[in-house]
Amino acid sequence: MVGAPARYLVFFQYFGTRYSGVMETKSDQALVGVQNYLEKAAQNLRPSVPIKFHISSRTDSGVHALANAAHLDIQRAPGKAAFSGKQLVQGLNYHLKPEPICILSAQRVPSTFHARFCALSRTYIYRLLLGCAHYSQIPVFERDLCWAPAGGPLDISAMREAAKFLLGTHDFSTFRSLSSETPFRCPVRTLLQLEIQPAPGFLSHHNRGLEFWEVKFKSRSFLYRQVRRMVGALVAVGQGKLSPQDIQELLEVKDARAFPPHAMAPPSGLFLKSVEYSQADLAAPSAPAEEELCGLS
C-alpha cells in the first residue's frame, strides 16, 4: 500500500538577474523561472510522482530573494522512508549546481499547510546607492544589486515624511501595475512597516564617498509591482520631483494610470528578505479545504 506523500516547507534564495522571475515559464524561453530549476532538481530525487513547488511570493525578472518559501509534496517508492529535512536540502542543492539558487532549509509540515496562503507577512528591502555621478562608478560587486538614482543626493527627511502616508491600510490601486489579474485582486493592503535607513555596502570600506540606503517594507501581501512603485515615488520625493503630500494625493486617486510615468524603480535593487509563518500553522492539524487554510476564505 502506497502511503501519503510527505509535505515540506522549504526556504530558498536566488540571484534574480539570470531569471525571468521566480515562477515557472515555458522551457524554450531565453530566460526561464527559478521554479523551472527547482523542479528539474527535484526530479533527480526520483519521486514516484512529479514534484511541484507551490511558491509563497512571486518575484519579477531581475528581483532577488534572500529567503523565498515554497511547499512541495514528495511521494517516494513503496518501502522508501521520507526524506529528512537535511537530506532534502543536500539533495536539491547538489542538483541545482551551478545555478545561483540555494535551498536554505526544509522541514516537514502538515498536509494542508500552504506556503502562499499561510504566510503571516512578507518583508522586502530595496537597496539604494547614492553618490554615483555615472553608472561606471557603481562598484563591480554591487551591480545588479542596487539602484543608483541620477541627480545627486536625496532628501531623506522628505522621503520619510512621504512614507508616513503609505503606512497602514489603504487602497493601493495607484501603486500597482496593471496585469491580467488586476480585475480579480482586491487593491486594499495593510503596510505594517516602512523604514528608510542607512546600510553598509558589501565592501563599503573600498567605496568611499558612496552611501547605501535600504527601504524596508512589511505586509501580509503586496500588489503587482507595488514595492517598486512605492520606492520610485519616494525617490521622486527625495529628488524634489514630488512633494510628500503628492504621495497622499496619489493614494486618494486610486488609479494606476495616475502614477507618474517612468517613476517605477528598477528590479535590480529589490530583495525578498523573508516570509514569516506561525509555528502553530507549521505543526497544527490542517483545515479540510484549501480555501480555509490558515484562516483564509
Side-chain angles (χ1 to χ4, degrees), residues 42 129 133 138 165 185 190 197 204 282:
L129 173 58
I138 300 176
F165 293 114
R185 300 200 70 185
T190 300
Q197 300 292 344
S204 56
L282 299 181

Side-chain angles (χ1 to χ4, degrees), residues 49-85:
V49 178
I51 294 173
K52 182 79 172 175
F53 278 69
H54 300 269
I55 294 173
S56 164
S57 305
R58 297 184 181 186
T59 58
D60 290 339
S61 177
V63 176
H64 317 288
L66 300 175
N68 204 338
H71 78 260
L72 59 149
D73 294 329
I74 301 181
Q75 179 75 64
R76 301 200 72 192
K80 288 190 173 289
F83 292 114
S84 68

Side-chain angles (χ1 to χ4, degrees), residues 170-173 176 181-189 221 223:
H170 306 283
D171 181 326
F172 282 97
S173 291
R176 67 174 171 181
E181 294 184 1
T182 298
F184 308 103
R185 300 200 70 185
C186 174
V188 176
R189 293 291 186 273
S221 62
L223 299 167

Side-chain angles (χ1 to χ4, degrees), residues 117-174:
F117 299 128
C118 288
L120 295 178
S121 65
R122 295 162 173 87
T123 301
Y124 285 85
I125 58 171
Y126 196 98
R127 301 181 70 243
L128 296 170
L129 173 58
L130 308 184
C132 286
H134 188 269
Y135 175 82
S136 62
Q137 292 181 275
I138 300 176
V140 170
F141 295 104
E142 293 285 358
R143 292 175 186 175
D144 295 324
L145 296 172
C146 61
W147 176 28
L154 298 178
D155 185 341
I156 301 296
S157 295
M159 292 171 65
R160 286 172 171 161
E161 183 181 349
K164 295 176 183 177
F165 293 114
L166 295 170
L167 278 168
T169 302
H170 306 283
D171 181 326
F172 282 97
S173 291
T174 306

